[in-house]
């Protein structure tokens, strides 16, 4: 029945307890004139009557709505949950339903409405359906959301929107429904952008960022033409941009995109009368979406961007799991170094130093090892650099010094009838600068009872050559104390023998790269010709060292042929696998016993 017809009206149906005709008429007029779109619906879900506001909202006359299915008019059957709630209100089992719906107007535009369904008063059969037009509110919300989700400088999606899209793309429902099930990211950072802001001001810097955004958007659009989807270009903050590829087809697609982005930035930018050139570095990550998190993907991209910067900038670099595993291992080692020293996870192995002429054991080099609970036994090249970076080398070096001197003294006590051997301990240059090395050595020698001449300290050539001030003063004080000073890996740094004459040095240790050239004898390996220059160079260094009163130790001696040739040119001491690998202190004790037994008359 129409809301404007004679006889019983929908308004009257709303309150069957009304007792006067005037009440019926007043209520009916209020229903008909209300600016809120409303309709009375019977228990079967059919419209009994509707007011003019609902007809206007739906783009039709209110009289044409009577008898129509109410759920179809306001789209209550489009999802199962809303449809169930609506049926429950019709049956009197639920007090109220409120939902938001997007309706199609006959003129072509969309209308957003908030639909409310409530039972009629006093248990009368049917419900009252009202629909409030919230299109203006939704439009304002959309504008506010756009402002909230977009960067004002470049007009690109900002970090918030980027992560919203990335998180949605990594949801299982998204990649399992269709597509390749993969995701890719190009994480871009402008090289030297800070200099633009500092020299030309932030206004020019902002214009440059906007120009970069335009070029990257063009790159994404061109990439989208050839594929099913256009990459999302976003500004993540500062001079950082991202190109997100959903349903990527593999690393080739991402590398092509990164290459196109770099090429797009090659041409200079004309801004404010300035001709600006700049480059960018890009970290590229491409992987299966399954098992990937937004945080994990961004960490990988950030790491890869760092690699691109470290490799020289102006380039893109692809994520390398093996390289990343090494970085993670390095990070894990760095964070546990100091506690590991305190927990006693480090040990010392000792490698013999053998006289070239008589083959007798004259000393040992103490080599630190880390018995890591997760990564096993680690050699110094895995952690010494980290210890030098974070300063824990001072604590580790002091422990190695005390441990080695105590062990050398124990060997001496256990073999009182044999000639004592010296122990050689490596010292990092940071130990000289960041601690009182002279005091540490003096205290250690006093505590352990080891004679100063039975301790040798090894410093690398690059750490000593060209040094002045405190390092030289410390070396001189140690030498005056009677401690031996040796230059390790000699021949790889300055190789300044004249400078050596002014240093309190007693021994040189030739870098193993020189000794490796002695590996083959022509008569035993005719297909490999030895390099005579190696022997000439080593012989010259040995002769000059001897003239300066220095002894020479050759490192990395692996074959008897090498030992023979080194002995022939006057090398004093050899160290390497020909004699022994680094071994625990008990094995050195056995060698000392064996040497004493052989030497007894």
């Amino acid at each position: 029945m129409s809301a404007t017809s004679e006889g019983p009206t929908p308004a009257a149906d709303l309150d069957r307890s009304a007792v006067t005709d005037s009440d019926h008429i007043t209520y009916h007029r209020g229903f008909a004139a209300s600016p809120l779109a409303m309709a009375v619906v019977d228990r079967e879900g059919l419209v009994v009557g509707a007011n003019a506001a609902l007809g206007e909202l739906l783009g039709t006359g209110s009289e044409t709505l009577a008898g129509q299915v109410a759920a179809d008019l306001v789209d209550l059957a489009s999802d199962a949950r809303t449809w169930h709630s609506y049926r429950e209100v019709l049956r009197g089992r639920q007090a109220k339903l409120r939902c938001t719906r997007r309706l199609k107007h006959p003129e072509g535009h969309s209308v957003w409405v908030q639909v409310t369904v409530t039972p009629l008063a006093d248990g009368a059969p049917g419900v009252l359906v009202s629909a409030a037009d919230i299109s203006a509110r939704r439009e304002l919300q959309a504008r506010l959301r756009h402002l909230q989700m977009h960067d004002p400088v470049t007009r690109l999606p900002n970090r918030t929107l980027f992560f919203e899209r990335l998180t949605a793309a990594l949801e299982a429902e998204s990649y399992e429904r269709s597509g390749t099930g993969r995701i890719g990211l190009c994480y871009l950072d402008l090289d030297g952008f800070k200099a633009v802001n500092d020299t030309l001001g932030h206004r020019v810097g902002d214009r440059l960022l906007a120009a970069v955004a335009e070029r990257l958007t063009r790159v994404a659009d061109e990439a989208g033409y050839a594929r099913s989807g256009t990459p999302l270009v976003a500004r993540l903050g500062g001079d950082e941009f991202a190109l997100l590829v959903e349903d990527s087809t593999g690393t080739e697609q991402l590398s092509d995109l990164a290459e196109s982005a770099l090429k797009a930035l090659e041409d200079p930018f004309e801004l404010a009368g300035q001709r600006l050139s700049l480059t960018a570095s890009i970290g590229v990550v491409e992987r299966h979406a399954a098992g990937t998190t937004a945080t994990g993907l961004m960490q990988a991209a950030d790491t890869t961007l760092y690699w691109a910067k470290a490799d020289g900038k102006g380039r893109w670099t692809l994520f390398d799991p093996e390289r990343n595993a090494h970085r993670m291992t390095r990070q894990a080692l760095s964070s546990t170094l100091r506690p590991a020293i305190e927990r006693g996870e480090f040990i010392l192995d000792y490698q013999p130093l053998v006289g070239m002429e008589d083959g007798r054991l004259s000393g040992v080099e103490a080599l630190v090892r880390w018995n890591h609970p997760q990564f096993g036994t680690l050699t110094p090249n895995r952690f010494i650099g980290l210890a030098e970076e974070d300063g824990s080398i001072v604590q580790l070096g002091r422990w190695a010094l005390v441990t080695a001197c105590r062990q050398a003294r124990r060997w001496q006590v256990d073999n009182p009838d044999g000639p004592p051997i010296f122990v050689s301990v490596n010292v990092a240059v940071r130990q000289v600068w960041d601690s009182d090395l002279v005091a540490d050595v003096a205290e250690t020698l006093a505590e352990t009872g080891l004679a100063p001449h039975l301790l040798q300290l090894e410093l690398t050539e690059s750490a000593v050559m060209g040094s002045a001030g405190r390092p030289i003063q410390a070396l001189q004080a140690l030498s005056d104390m009677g401690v031996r000073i040796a230059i390790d890996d000699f021949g790889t740094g300055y190789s300044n023998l004249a400078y050596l004459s002014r240093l309190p040095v007693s021994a040189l240790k030739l870098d193993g790269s020189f000794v490796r050239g002695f590996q083959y004898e022509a008569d035993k390996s005719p297909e490999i010709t030895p390099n005579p220059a190696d022997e000439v160079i080593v012989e010259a260094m040995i002769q000059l060292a001897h003239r300066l009163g220095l002894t020479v130790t050759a490192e990395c001696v692996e074959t008897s042929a090498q030992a023979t040739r080194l002995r022939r040119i006057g090398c004093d001491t050899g160290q390497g696998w020909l004699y022994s690998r680094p071994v625990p202190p008990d094995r050195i004790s056995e060698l000392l016993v064996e040497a004493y037994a052989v030497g007894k008359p």
Side-chain angles (χ1 to χ4, degrees):
M1 182 180 293
S2 171
T4 58
S5 60
E6 298 295 330
T9 65
D13 290 339
L14 295 180
D15 189 355
R16 296 185 182 277
S17 64
V19 295
T20 65
D21 289 341
S22 63
D23 288 334
H24 282 271
I25 294 171
T26 300
Y27 204 69
H28 167 70
R29 288 174 178 173
F31 173 82
S34 173
L36 177 63
M38 294 185 291
V40 175
V41 179
D42 63 22
R43 287 181 173 176
E44 301 303 318
L46 301 178
V47 175
V48 175
N51 65 2
L54 181 61
E56 182 179 350
L57 179 68
L58 300 178
T60 185
S62 60
E63 65 279 358
T64 65
L65 300 178
Q68 295 197 38
V69 178
D72 293 343
L73 295 177
V74 289
D75 191 29
L76 297 180
S78 59
D79 70 86
R81 185 176 179 180
T82 301
W83 172 246
H84 174 74
S85 295
Y86 172 61
R87 298 296 296 170
E88 290 296 287
V89 177
L90 280 178
R91 294 167 183 165
R93 298 174 183 172
Q94 183 172 319
K96 190 175 185 179
L97 166 66
R98 176 171 290 172
C99 60
T100 300
R101 284 294 182 265
R102 184 183 181 183
L103 308 178
K104 192 72 172 179
H105 196 275
E107 295 181 1
H109 62 274
S110 296
V111 179
W112 285 94
V113 295
Q114 186 176 73
V115 179
T116 304
V117 182
T118 55
L120 295 175
D122 295 331
V127 296
L128 178 66
V129 177
S130 61
D133 187 350
I134 59 171
S135 299
R137 188 201 311 170
R138 293 282 297 202
E139 184 179 350
L140 176 60
Q141 289 175 341
R143 287 200 301 268
L144 292 175
R145 174 176 168 77
H146 185 275
L147 292 173
Q148 182 186 8
M149 296 292 187
H150 287 76
D151 171 50
V153 174
T154 63
R155 302 181 185 275
L156 291 177
N158 62 13
R159 190 179 189 88
T160 303
L161 181 54
F162 169 80
F163 274 99
E164 186 178 285
R165 281 281 299 272
L166 175 58
T167 303
L170 292 174
E171 291 178 352
E173 296 81 1
S174 175
Y175 59 78
E176 288 178 354
R177 186 170 54 249
S178 62
T180 63
R182 302 185 67 85
I183 194 162
L185 175 64
C186 291
Y187 189 20
L188 181 148
D189 180 88
L190 302 181
D191 299 326
F193 177 75
K194 183 177 183 299
V196 176
N197 275 340
D198 291 345
T199 57
L200 301 177
H202 288 271
R203 186 173 182 180
V204 173
D206 287 349
R207 291 182 61 184
L208 179 58
L209 290 173
V212 168
E214 289 180 7
R215 294 192 186 183
L216 294 179
T217 301
R218 195 179 312 128
V219 167
D221 291 341
E222 291 173 355
Y225 293 149
R227 306 203 179 254
S228 58
T230 300
L232 172 72
V233 184
R235 182 189 177 198
L236 302 187
D239 58 348
E240 297 176 356
F241 296 83
L243 290 89
L244 178 65
V245 180
E246 300 177 43
D247 292 324
S248 62
T249 57
T251 56
E252 184 178 354
Q253 179 189 5
L254 270 295
S255 61
D256 288 345
L257 182 63
E259 193 67 44
S260 298
L262 291 180
K263 190 172 182 60
L265 300 178
E266 285 180 355
D267 293 336
F269 294 84
E270 302 285 349
L271 297 172
Q274 299 281 343
R275 187 178 176 85
L276 303 177
S277 296
L278 91 153
T279 60
S281 300
I282 305 177
V284 179
V285 183
E286 200 280 338
R287 58 178 55 169
H288 286 288
T292 298
T293 63
T295 301
L297 187 68
M298 290 305 300
Q299 285 178 341
D302 186 61
T303 297
T304 313
L305 174 60
Y306 170 79
W307 295 342
K309 292 279 190 183
D311 291 344
K313 302 181 180 181
R315 66 191 64 210
W316 61 269
T317 300
L318 186 65
F319 181 75
D320 180 356
E322 185 174 340
R323 185 176 180 181
N324 185 61
H326 177 75
R327 181 188 70 88
M328 295 298 289
T329 301
R330 179 182 170 87
Q331 193 172 28
L333 294 178
S334 179
S335 64
T336 56
L337 250 173
R338 291 181 185 273
I341 300 171
E342 298 168 359
R343 289 194 298 264
E345 294 179 5
F346 290 90
I347 62 169
L348 289 181
D349 280 345
Y350 300 87
Q351 188 169 32
L353 301 172
V354 178
M356 283 290 189
E357 286 295 332
D358 55 15
R360 296 180 67 91
L361 178 65
S362 59
V364 293
E365 179 181 356
L367 299 169
V368 65
R369 304 285 187 261
W370 185 356
N371 287 332
H372 196 282
Q374 180 181 354
F375 303 115
T377 302
L378 304 178
T379 52
N381 64 308
R382 296 288 301 276
F383 58 84
I384 289 298
L386 298 175
E388 290 177 337
E389 289 177 10
D390 68 6
S392 59
I393 190 65
V394 174
Q395 182 183 2
L396 181 59
R398 187 179 292 119
W399 170 86
L401 174 68
V402 172
T403 304
C405 289
R406 186 179 293 126
Q407 182 61 61
R409 177 58 179 160
R410 186 175 301 123
W411 286 323
Q412 187 180 10
V413 171
D414 292 343
N415 299 275
D417 298 327
I421 62 172
F422 69 88
V423 64
S424 191
V425 180
N426 290 279
V427 175
V429 68
R430 187 161 182 176
Q431 290 177 255
V432 182
W433 284 107
D434 293 359
S435 68
D436 192 341
L437 181 62
V438 177
D440 287 345
V441 170
E443 181 181 343
T444 299
L445 293 176
E447 176 189 332
T448 60
L450 185 69
H453 72 277
L454 295 181
L455 173 63
Q456 177 173 279
L457 300 180
E458 295 186 21
L459 290 90
T460 61
E461 179 183 354
S462 57
V464 176
M465 297 300 184
S467 297
R470 183 173 180 179
I472 299 303
Q473 294 170 4
L475 295 182
Q476 188 63 59
L478 290 167
S479 179
D480 294 342
M481 193 187 299
V483 174
R484 305 176 185 218
I485 305 296
I487 304 301
D488 195 17
D489 299 330
F490 187 78
T492 60
Y494 293 86
S495 302
N496 190 334
L497 286 166
Y499 188 74
L500 275 177
S501 65
R502 299 193 293 272
L503 292 175
V505 174
S506 55
L508 297 183
K509 298 188 72 175
L510 295 180
D511 185 70
S513 60
F514 292 102
V515 179
R516 292 188 188 99
F518 289 12
Q519 187 168 358
Y520 303 100
E521 289 285 3
D523 57 341
K524 294 182 179 179
S525 302
E527 72 281 4
I528 300 177
T529 304
N531 184 359
D534 288 331
E535 187 169 338
V536 171
I537 292 172
V538 172
E539 184 175 9
M541 286 194 292
I542 291 174
Q543 290 177 357
L544 286 171
H546 285 169
R547 291 196 177 189
L548 293 171
L550 310 177
T551 62
V552 179
T553 298
E555 299 179 308
C556 301
V557 181
E558 298 179 357
T559 68
S560 58
Q562 289 173 321
T564 299
R565 296 173 69 186
L566 286 165
R567 182 166 55 249
R568 186 169 63 228
I569 60 178
C571 187
D572 302 290
T573 309
Q575 177 182 357
W577 286 6
L578 173 65
Y579 308 107
S580 174
R581 295 170 180 258
V583 293
D586 292 346
R587 177 54 184 155
I588 300 297
S589 298
E590 294 173 2
L591 292 176
L592 289 172
V593 171
E594 293 170 6
Y596 178 66
V598 171
K600 291 176 71 174

